[in-house]
Amino acid sequence: MDPSKRPQYASNDKKGNGDNSSVMNGHFEGSVKRPVSATSQPPCAESGSQRPSSAVVESWREERTRSVEDNEMSLPSLAAAYTTILRGLGEDTQRQGLLKTPWRAATAMQFFTKGYQEKIVDVLNDAIFDEDHDEMVIVKDIDMFSMCEHHLVPIFGKVHIGYLPNKRVLGLSKLARIVEIYSRRLQVQERLTKQIAVAITEALHPTGVGVVIEATHMCMVMRGVQKMNSKTVTSTMLGVFREDPKTRDEFLTLIRS
């Protein structure tokens, strides 16, 4: 599609040169996917205590794009596609080692992208608690596995999440579940970082959220420039994590301690 014809959406981050937070390209599932209008205001202008509109929340609740039934129906065509790929590579698909490979690969790809089958609201609804706590909450070194949407090869690394509660807290394991849902999709790291931060913001309406991802991209290690030790670091800071340097510095110091 001609980039000039793509719909434009408001971003939760400030724009600037080299700001990757604007890379939504139609895949940013969830509540922040909203058309820019003369009356709309970027979410970053909202305070931590302000709630999004009910229409926005509904779009977030309806983000599932694939079902278990869809998996069953699409498995034969996926397997057939892998058979075509193997033949295109010059392989004999009838030799013993490859007889079941198309089905195995198709099933594996469905697992690698199982985040399309899950909704954040299903995970979080019973794990948000009223709590008079206003100090920083951090869960760091969350293992992350994803798939590069450009080359269909793995991305893996660590996710660090911090937020300042606003009278509500989230069950700690649910932060890891949010990472799992969004990482188990075809992704770019910039978008993944933003999606995690926005999901937490929409669920809890905290004073601020910070997310940092450090990851290795196999598209840089196995092919292309083939830089074995390269890592990509991305961050999204919302609310006071963006506005207050001391809060941001505290978060960054703690995740590296």
Side-chain angles (χ1 to χ4, degrees):
M1 181 185 293
D2 184 349
S4 65
K5 297 181 181 178
R6 292 176 181 166
Q8 299 298 311
Y9 299 104
S11 169
N12 273 52
D13 240 333
K14 296 180 179 178
K15 303 289 184 184
N17 291 335
D19 185 355
N20 288 321
S21 66
S22 63
V23 187
M24 298 296 106
N25 62 30
H27 293 278
F28 197 155
E29 309 293 346
S31 57
V32 297
K33 195 175 187 181
R34 60 188 78 173
V36 177
S37 67
T39 58
S40 67
Q41 190 175 27
C44 62
E46 299 174 354
S47 69
S49 61
Q50 288 179 311
R51 303 286 179 101
S53 69
S54 59
V56 168
V57 173
E58 281 306 308
S59 68
W60 176 56
R61 290 173 180 272
E62 297 302 323
E63 67 179 355
R64 181 185 290 119
T65 58
R66 198 175 83 204
S67 67
V68 175
E69 292 75 16
D70 291 333
N71 281 352
E72 294 173 354
M73 292 178 62
S74 65
L75 189 59
S77 60
L78 277 175
Y82 276 109
T83 299
T84 301
I85 290 171
L86 290 171
R87 287 173 179 158
L89 295 174
E91 273 288 358
D92 175 10
T93 58
Q94 296 304 307
R95 68 180 178 86
Q96 186 180 27
L98 293 180
L99 283 176
K100 296 183 179 180
T101 294
W103 288 90
R104 292 190 189 103
T107 303
M109 184 58 73
Q110 288 182 338
F111 178 81
F112 296 154
T113 59
K114 66 186 180 72
Y116 291 120
Q117 300 168 215
E118 301 178 283
K119 292 168 62 176
I120 297 292
V121 67
D122 294 339
V123 172
L124 303 188
N125 259 356
D126 61 348
I128 298 175
F129 308 101
D130 295 328
E131 192 68 40
D132 187 19
H133 181 77
D134 59 2
E135 298 296 331
M136 194 177 297
V137 177
I138 294 176
V139 178
K140 64 179 186 176
D141 295 326
I142 301 170
D143 289 325
M144 178 275 296
F145 299 94
S146 190
M147 294 287 288
C148 168
E149 69 178 31
H150 301 141
H151 303 97
L152 299 185
V153 294
I155 304 169
F156 60 92
K158 302 286 187 181
V159 181
H160 315 292
I161 299 173
Y163 71 94
L164 276 174
N166 183 21
K167 306 300 183 182
R168 298 199 300 175
V169 297
L170 182 64
L172 295 178
S173 68
K174 303 306 181 181
L175 295 173
R177 288 292 303 275
I178 292 173
V179 172
E180 183 75 0
I181 288 174
Y182 283 119
S183 64
R184 293 294 187 174
R185 302 179 180 189
L186 301 183
Q187 280 287 11
V188 295
Q189 186 173 326
E190 297 90 338
R191 184 172 67 239
L192 173 59
T193 311
K194 174 67 70 72
Q195 286 177 323
I196 294 168
V198 169
I200 296 167
T201 299
E202 296 289 354
L204 292 180
H205 310 287
T207 306
V209 175
V211 177
V212 174
I213 298 181
E214 304 173 72
T216 297
H217 293 240
M218 296 310 290
C219 55
M220 287 183 64
V221 173
M222 293 179 66
R223 59 163 297 282
V225 293
Q226 300 182 58
K227 300 302 181 185
M228 298 294 293
N229 298 311
S230 64
K231 284 191 176 182
T232 301
V233 181
T234 51
S235 70
T236 293
M237 304 291 171
L238 303 178
V240 294
F241 281 71
R242 170 174 282 275
E243 299 160 3
D244 181 11
K246 290 184 178 180
T247 301
R248 183 169 60 250
D249 290 346
E250 178 185 356
F251 170 61
L252 295 174
T253 298
L254 288 172
I255 66 173
R256 288 173 172 80
S257 62

